[in-house]
Amino acid sequence: MSKPALHFSAHEPSAVAEISGDWVLRHVEQLESLSQDAGRSARQPGTLDLHALQRLDTTGALLLLQLLGMPRPEALPQKLNRVSEAHRMILTALAAAICDGDRSRKPADRWLQDLLQRIGMWVVDAAQQLKLLTHFIGVVITTTIRNLLQPWRLRWTSLVFHMEHVGLDAVPIVALLSFLVGSTVAFLGASVLRDFGATIYTPDMVSYAFLREFGTLLPAILLAGRSGSAFTAQIGSMKSNEEIDALKTLGMDPVCVLVMPRVVALLFTLPLLSFIGMLSGLLGGMLVSALVLDISPAAYASRIYNFTDIQHFWVGISKAPVFAFLIGVVGCLEGFKVSGSAESVGQHTTSSVVQSIFLVLTTDAMFAVLFEQLGL
Amino acid sequence: MTDTQQTPAGDPDDAVIRVRDLVNAFGANVVHNGLDLDVRRGEILGVVGGSGSGKSVLLRSIVGLQKIRSGVIELFGEPLGEMLDDSDNLCDLRLGVMFQDGALFSSLTVTENIQLAIKEHYKVGDALLQDLADMKMLLAELPLKAANQYPSELSGGMRKRAGLARALALDPEILFLDEPTAGLDPISAAAIDRLLQTLRDALGLTVFLVTHDLDTLHAICDRVAVLGEGRLITIGTLDEVANFDHPWIKAYFSGPRGRRGQVDRGDTSDTGL
């Protein structure tokens, strides 16, 4: 490999640049500085003498053409002296490609225009997303009602499959997590209650927290991360593979085929998981009470049995179907929004999890106010 | 392989790729069993074969994406295995690969796709980098309007061209193409064929082309290699290969699609098909 070089021969009347060495991508740094030096000296060579040029690739050829001021391919032969056939071929082909190609571009955006445009598009997009979500919720509700009135139209195989994946497979993690949070609540609560000599109220506190809030909220957040994202990824990859379009052309409604089983599976299983979550939370509290607070499991159970209203349970469990619906609808809708690339699947999966957790928590806050006002 | 036939296309003694006794297997499924192949400098070699005959696996083995079970692959006279050990050598391999559907990086624009490898390996100023990317796009006959578009916004033909432009990014000497015309309409496919021939002629590339497209074989391939039964069945000019006595080759060239290819070519010589 020999170094590339460029010499202006002074004795020639019109500027002739003598090119030598390898003009290839490997030497691109030297090539770039050579052409910059030539540009700075404001000497544009009229012709190039190429007899000492050794290897040439498209990078070198582009720089040579730039030295000559991008001549048209017809004008090229008289600008090249002592050129080998192979080098002439590359230079001519490149000049032809560059001159004859479609060089029109989209005009570059200005930054202010760009900023305003992006803000505007963001607002319009947000409004459209909201409209889309409400529309989709409406479609899913009507389809659900129709399906529940005509249960034979529900896809039972698919439903059972999703119930297994969404519900049964999630039991261990829901139980474990609720158990841990239950024992934490009991442990931390007891340390506050101890100051008042009121550790006996620990079971009340755990049961109140778990029956009303945590028992439902923890499984809901878990399912938003576990199943909502899975729904988005499944439906999204089907969308990018045109499988959704294929379903439509075969006369099947994607909402019936794909969304219904998933949403109904969540509607059935989240209340059951909430129940498991409540029990595990109470068990966690029971363990801590027995080990740390000297409240025997029997005393713990009888305390809950005698002093905790059943209405707390109903308040907690009644929220589960609402959370299930939100998680299912957002997960599926984000899947349908996927377009084209695999990257889009990833984006919408993230957005699905964030949105469904956000919706679950805000709805939960609204429920808290609602039940407070109702005096439940 | 004894039936390697000498033809005027390319210099028979100047093999840029030399494959000897290649064995590839996935578990018990033997794909290549003693495959020999020479690719000559400056030729366009079309590789054909039935589904599962290991065309793509051969391509992947030569570019080092597939770990071979045994055998020797030499590129420019040097064994491939030693070159792959040092990652610095990889960009010296002077290979460009165009994958079947482009395999463009979906989060990058066309320009960024082309610039990525140049930026990674060389220090180049922004202006020149832009000029280089434009030049590769124009070489691949891609309008510069597409420069700032993402792969998902391009049509199938444009994606192939963008894939080709990216394959040319590091100025390779050997270009590997996996079914460059698959999924294109005949007019776009013919345009790609013509483009490949132009690039080969202008840049002196060696082209290794895996294809099913008889029109491509007729239009641009100097030689055709037929893979089957884990080895090279035959290699030679299209006429030589078409006359080779082998059931798969007979079925391939004399099927309804094969005949049409001959008609399109306006071939008047009696090839005995």
Side-chain angles (χ1 to χ4, degrees):
Chain A
M1 284 250 180
S2 59
K3 279 197 167 190
L6 183 155
H7 291 291
F8 283 102
S9 37
H11 54 275
E12 296 275 345
S14 67
V16 173
E18 204 169 297
I19 305 294
S20 59
D22 289 330
W23 282 59
V24 291
L25 181 64
R26 227 184 139 61
H27 297 308
V28 69
E29 284 164 54
Q30 287 117 296
L31 291 178
E32 198 180 9
S33 63
L34 279 178
S35 85
Q36 277 166 355
D37 290 345
R40 247 187 308 249
S41 66
R43 289 173 73 182
Q44 194 179 43
T47 43
L48 298 179
D49 184 342
L50 298 181
H51 82 280
L53 176 63
Q54 287 166 13
R55 288 176 43 202
L56 179 69
D57 65 8
T58 58
T59 309
L62 176 72
L63 286 161
L64 289 181
L65 288 174
Q66 285 181 343
L67 274 178
L68 290 171
M70 281 294 164
R72 294 201 56 78
E74 311 84 79
L76 201 56
Q78 60 258 37
K79 288 176 178 288
L80 303 174
N81 283 351
R82 295 193 277 175
V83 58
S84 78
E85 182 59 20
H87 295 157
R88 198 183 54 75
M89 291 270 274
I90 298 185
L91 288 164
T92 317
L94 211 59
I98 291 174
C99 291
D100 300 341
D102 183 355
R103 294 179 63 82
S104 60
R105 280 173 194 279
K106 290 186 180 131
D109 297 324
R110 305 218 175 109
W111 71 269
L112 184 64
Q113 210 179 336
D114 192 40
L115 182 72
L116 288 175
Q117 195 180 347
R118 273 173 54 186
I119 293 175
M121 272 164 58
W122 187 81
V123 171
V124 172
D125 186 58
Q128 271 172 351
Q129 299 298 328
L130 197 66
K131 195 174 139 197
L132 209 60
L133 183 64
T134 43
H135 170 81
F136 193 67
I137 289 177
V139 170
V140 173
I141 288 178
T142 48
T143 317
T144 314
I145 292 172
R146 209 173 47 231
N147 269 330
L148 291 180
L149 291 179
Q150 301 167 309
W152 60 91
R153 287 183 53 179
L154 211 58
R155 279 153 212 282
W156 289 96
T157 319
S158 176
L159 177 65
V160 171
F161 171 85
H162 286 294
M163 281 174 73
E164 183 189 337
H165 281 261
V166 169
L168 195 60
D169 293 355
V171 167
I173 185 72
V174 165
L176 177 69
L177 216 73
S178 304
F179 182 84
L180 290 175
V181 174
S183 33
T184 313
V185 166
F187 196 73
L188 292 179
S191 64
V192 175
L193 292 173
R194 188 177 284 134
D195 296 344
F196 304 104
T199 45
I200 191 63
Y201 289 107
T202 305
D204 301 60
M205 192 186 59
V206 174
S207 67
Y208 191 77
F210 263 84
L211 295 188
R212 284 189 83 102
E213 288 293 335
F214 289 153
T216 316
L217 209 53
L218 286 176
I221 290 175
L222 253 169
L223 284 203
R226 198 178 171 276
S227 305
S229 60
F231 292 174
T232 309
Q234 288 157 1
I235 295 180
S237 56
M238 288 182 76
K239 177 82 188 290
S240 64
N241 200 17
E242 293 185 315
E243 289 172 51
I244 307 279
D245 296 335
L247 270 181
K248 286 185 192 158
T249 60
L250 293 172
M252 294 151 100
D253 178 10
V255 174
C256 265
V257 179
L258 299 173
V259 179
M260 259 321 100
R262 290 178 166 83
V263 171
V264 175
L266 270 176
L267 281 175
F268 281 152
T269 51
L270 188 55
L272 293 174
L273 286 174
S274 300
F275 184 67
I276 292 172
M278 290 171 185
L279 285 185
S280 314
L282 294 179
L283 270 177
M286 183 189 274
L287 185 78
V288 169
S289 300
L291 293 179
V292 183
L293 304 173
D294 284 332
I295 302 171
S296 73
Y300 183 91
S302 79
R303 176 98 205 153
I304 291 176
Y305 186 74
N306 291 323
F307 293 92
T308 306
D309 275 344
I310 190 69
Q311 75 180 40
H312 296 316
F313 170 75
W314 292 120
V315 162
I317 209 85
S318 68
K319 294 188 279 189
V322 180
F323 292 164
F325 186 78
L326 287 174
I327 294 167
V329 164
V330 169
C332 294
L333 177 61
E334 286 300 314
F336 283 113
K337 285 187 199 162
V338 166
S339 61
S341 62
E343 197 198 1
S344 170
V345 177
Q347 275 172 0
H348 285 283
T349 307
T350 310
S351 142
S352 151
V353 175
V354 172
Q355 274 187 50
S356 45
I357 292 181
F358 173 81
L359 282 175
V360 163
L361 291 177
T362 41
T363 323
D364 189 56
M366 288 195 284
F367 269 125
V369 176
L370 176 74
F371 287 128
E372 184 63 37
Q373 293 294 316
L374 288 173
L376 290 171
Chain B
M1 196 56 42
T2 50
D3 52 4
T4 304
Q5 293 165 39
Q6 306 295 309
T7 65
D11 179 1
D13 297 327
D14 189 6
V16 284
I17 304 174
R18 196 186 294 274
V19 179
R20 287 290 174 273
D21 212 15
L22 176 69
V23 178
N24 262 315
F26 301 101
N29 177 22
V30 179
V31 181
H32 298 136
N33 193 6
L35 187 145
D36 295 347
L37 178 72
D38 282 352
V39 183
R40 300 169 186 166
R41 187 181 296 277
E43 75 172 342
I44 298 184
L45 177 73
V47 178
V48 299
S51 293
S53 61
K55 305 183 293 292
S56 294
V57 178
L58 176 61
L59 189 156
R60 292 172 60 85
S61 304
I62 297 174
V63 298
L65 290 171
Q66 167 81 39
K67 198 166 162 47
I68 63 176
R69 187 162 283 190
S70 70
V72 179
I73 296 176
E74 285 178 12
L75 289 175
F76 306 106
E78 285 179 63
L80 181 68
E82 289 166 29
M83 287 200 268
L84 290 176
D85 288 342
D86 183 359
S87 68
D88 277 353
N89 280 331
L90 283 175
C91 66
D92 286 345
L93 283 179
R94 295 168 276 166
L95 308 179
V97 185
M98 177 184 154
F99 293 92
Q100 209 179 90
D101 198 34
L104 295 162
F105 304 116
S106 54
S107 55
L108 303 180
T109 63
V110 174
T111 304
E112 289 165 344
N113 261 289
I114 299 170
Q115 291 173 340
L116 186 70
I118 306 179
K119 261 194 214 165
E120 177 71 24
H121 297 298
Y122 303 102
K123 255 207 202 114
V124 185
D126 285 344
L128 180 57
L129 207 53
Q130 182 66 50
D131 289 342
L132 281 174
D134 287 356
M135 181 261 288
K136 307 283 177 187
M137 283 181 70
L138 292 169
L139 269 181
E141 294 175 359
L142 201 61
L144 292 188
K145 276 197 201 88
N148 293 321
Q149 286 186 306
Y150 289 92
S152 60
E153 299 167 334
L154 300 177
S155 67
M158 301 252 275
R159 262 207 299 282
K160 301 247 183 205
R161 286 172 189 276
L164 185 60
R166 191 184 65 183
L168 293 172
L170 292 179
D171 276 310
E173 286 180 29
I174 312 178
L175 194 57
F176 292 86
L177 305 156
D178 196 355
E179 308 223 7
T181 55
L184 294 184
D185 65 89
I187 298 170
S188 309
I192 295 267
D193 287 347
R194 189 182 44 69
L195 172 63
L196 289 176
Q197 185 143 37
T198 314
L199 286 177
R200 190 276 303 263
D201 293 345
L203 309 180
L205 296 171
T206 306
V207 180
F208 182 100
L209 186 101
V210 170
T211 190
H212 277 301
D213 191 337
L214 276 162
D215 293 332
T216 304
L217 295 183
H218 284 302
I220 60 170
C221 290
D222 298 314
R223 291 197 304 161
V224 175
V226 186
L227 300 192
E229 300 146 23
R231 58 187 185 89
L232 185 71
I233 295 177
T234 182
I235 187 168
T237 63
L238 188 65
D239 285 341
E240 290 165 357
V241 167
N243 286 322
F244 191 80
D245 189 23
H246 186 276
W248 188 85
I249 295 176
K250 284 263 181 284
Y252 183 65
F253 285 100
S254 60
R257 284 152 176 272
R259 284 223 179 80
R260 202 207 55 216
Q262 295 276 335
V263 172
D264 286 353
R265 189 183 166 210
D267 192 25
T268 49
S269 67
D270 181 14
T271 53
L273 290 175

